[in-house]
Amino acid sequence: MNTLLRPLAAACALAAAAPALADADFARCLSELRAQAPAKGVATATFDQHTQALAPDMAVVGFLDAQPEFTTAIWDYLAGLVDEERVADGQAMMREWADTLAAIEARYAVDAAAVVAVWGVESNYGRNFGRRPLVQSLATLSCFGRRQPFFRGEFFTTLQILQDGHVDPAQLTGSWAGAFGHTQFMPSTFMRLAVDFDGDGRRDLVGSVPDALASTANFLARAGWQHGRAWGIEVRLPAGFEAAQAGRRNKRSLTQWQAAGLSRADGSPLPAGNDTAGLILPAGVDGPAFLTLRNFDALFSYNAAESYALAIAHLSDRLRGGAANFHTAWPTDDPGLSRAERREVQRLLIARGYEIGEVDGLLGTNTRRAIADLQRQLGLEPDGRAGRRLLELLRRPG
Ligand code: CA
């Protein structure tokens, strides 16, 4: 759960800019932080233990200000996050952890499918925690860049977590911004909301699936989750609908939306009632439209992006056997690709001689630059996008 924008993987790094100067500044900054540690609840011995021989990782400072080089359409975003693989993996996890999830649902009144969907999107069910040592990233961001006060708080909190023995220090890696564990909590979120569900006395969001899933359920419960309720309703807009009426926070009752001419996407009437909902149009008035209820807002609070909340919401529906496609199609004739298809794109690019690094199904900057180069050669718009048409084009020999 990043509170920050996630730039595309491997965005430009300011990296090696004057390393010697950075090292000297970093040493000075660390000694300042060391002096503050006891007042922040961190013993000097703890501070020393985890910062000995620490070098800054200047790449994370680059991520802080990186602007995505390429934009991502909502249908591409969802095609990668909610694909058959993630649905099948999530359903397997729901079976494997059925007893734990039932106990979590009983205690926190949060639907298991929503918790598992967060897990699937945040770390691919524990397969991808992020590789950067948390202490190093947060110490660097505490000393360089434009959000040092925020990151200093996260840094000291991380040291408290280690001091209290919740997480194995060797396993404490995460995103460049400090989100870690199965469901990618920031350290401050850990302090507020992490729970020990397996009863070993540690709140271990890295080593314990029960702790991580229960902590996520606790987060969603505090964010106002309503057990057993839908996150939203896909709707059909009346002809001539003014897009200006949309907005997640522009709440009206279902009865009011009904009066405004909205129906369910299949044309049947909306349920009446005083439940309030916002309206989101992720691809404008010509794409799928959704009334979003309170559970959508709870998901939004996990990571403040409507596309993110929609991905979790849709994955949770699919884990319960819901349909793959929304009723209204995305307004494109060139649909997005699953991760399996993205890996195929990457293999085909490599076969054409592009050096794009690892075949990981993630369309990072290297892959997208290679695609843009190929598009240029073929006289196509070089948008760096991997869609259905590009895949079919790559599959053709030579
Ligand atoms: Ca525990």
Side-chain angles (χ1 to χ4, degrees):
M1 150 183 42
N2 272 326
T3 54
L4 303 159
L5 286 173
R6 293 179 201 211
L8 295 169
C12 64
L14 298 178
L21 186 63
D23 285 349
D25 288 347
F26 189 62
R28 201 173 313 119
C29 174
L30 272 188
S31 74
E32 264 173 48
L33 295 173
R34 184 176 188 269
Q36 295 166 17
K40 304 288 184 186
V42 175
T44 307
T46 305
F47 188 96
D48 291 345
Q49 182 192 339
H50 297 289
T51 60
Q52 246 170 22
L54 194 64
D57 174 6
M58 296 309 284
V60 300
V61 185
F63 287 126
L64 194 59
D65 292 311
Q67 298 295 321
E69 185 176 338
F70 299 99
T71 55
T72 301
I74 180 72
W75 48 86
D76 286 335
Y77 179 79
L78 287 176
L81 280 178
V82 190
D83 59 12
E84 296 305 324
E85 207 176 342
R86 207 176 313 262
V87 173
D89 288 347
Q91 288 172 336
M93 288 302 177
M94 290 188 75
R95 286 190 293 274
E96 183 179 343
W97 294 97
D99 294 346
T100 301
L101 287 165
I104 288 170
E105 190 159 345
R107 187 175 311 174
Y108 297 99
V110 174
D111 301 77
V115 173
V116 173
V118 171
W119 189 20
V121 167
E122 289 292 345
S123 73
N124 196 19
Y125 310 107
R127 292 186 185 94
N128 181 10
F129 290 154
R131 291 178 191 163
R132 293 178 185 277
L134 219 64
V135 170
Q136 184 187 28
S137 299
L138 291 173
T140 305
L141 293 166
S142 295
C143 294
F144 303 98
R146 62 186 164 78
R147 295 193 65 196
Q148 292 174 34
F150 167 76
F151 286 112
R152 286 181 180 207
E154 298 294 335
F155 171 67
F156 283 124
T157 304
T158 302
L159 294 178
Q160 282 179 39
I161 292 168
L162 290 169
Q163 178 170 271
D164 294 346
H166 292 296
V167 178
D168 176 357
Q171 287 185 30
L172 192 56
T173 61
S175 75
W176 66 268
F180 71 99
H182 284 274
T183 52
Q184 299 283 286
F185 271 31
M186 289 296 288
S188 55
T189 311
F190 173 103
M191 271 306 171
R192 282 189 300 122
L193 296 168
V195 297
D196 169 27
F197 199 73
D198 61 16
D200 70 350
R202 301 160 73 219
R203 300 187 275 160
D204 186 356
L205 304 190
V206 176
S208 166
V209 169
D211 286 6
L213 298 185
S215 298
T216 298
N218 188 38
F219 183 105
L220 293 173
R222 300 283 191 93
W225 189 268
Q226 296 179 316
H227 188 239
R229 305 289 298 275
W231 59 267
I233 304 169
E234 190 186 348
V235 293
R236 183 188 292 177
L237 306 174
F241 184 81
E242 300 269 343
Q245 296 180 67
R248 187 182 61 88
R249 303 177 69 176
N250 185 18
K251 305 277 189 194
R252 297 204 223 167
S253 72
L254 291 177
T255 300
Q256 286 172 313
W257 284 120
Q258 200 182 51
L262 275 67
S263 62
R264 286 186 183 272
D266 64 5
S268 65
L270 279 181
N274 295 324
D275 280 349
T276 60
L279 173 69
I280 63 165
L281 307 173
V285 290
D286 295 327
F290 305 94
L291 286 180
T292 55
L293 297 158
R294 194 152 159 199
N295 286 350
F296 187 88
D297 295 331
L299 297 174
F300 182 89
S301 70
Y302 207 91
N303 188 347
E306 286 175 9
S307 51
Y308 172 89
L310 185 61
I312 303 282
H314 185 45
L315 179 57
S316 68
D317 283 349
R318 294 219 51 203
L319 293 175
R320 285 183 285 241
N325 294 319
F326 296 120
H327 202 277
T328 300
W330 294 112
T332 176
D333 56 3
D334 186 13
L337 302 179
S338 68
R339 285 171 297 160
E341 291 164 331
R342 291 171 188 199
R343 290 194 293 268
E344 186 181 350
V345 164
Q346 290 178 316
R347 283 193 296 270
L348 290 167
L349 287 169
I350 289 168
R352 285 181 184 238
Y354 287 102
E355 287 182 18
I356 56 166
E358 201 186 338
V359 173
D360 55 7
L362 303 173
L363 300 177
T365 306
N366 289 340
T367 300
R368 299 194 66 163
R369 281 183 185 153
I371 292 168
D373 181 73
L374 182 68
Q375 288 168 324
R376 237 174 255 117
Q377 289 180 32
L378 297 169
L380 304 169
E381 170 77 13
D383 60 5
R385 173 175 179 257
R388 172 77 37 204
R389 273 194 210 138
L390 180 94
L391 175 59
E392 282 165 8
L393 200 146
L394 279 168
R395 280 172 175 167
R396 281 182 220 145

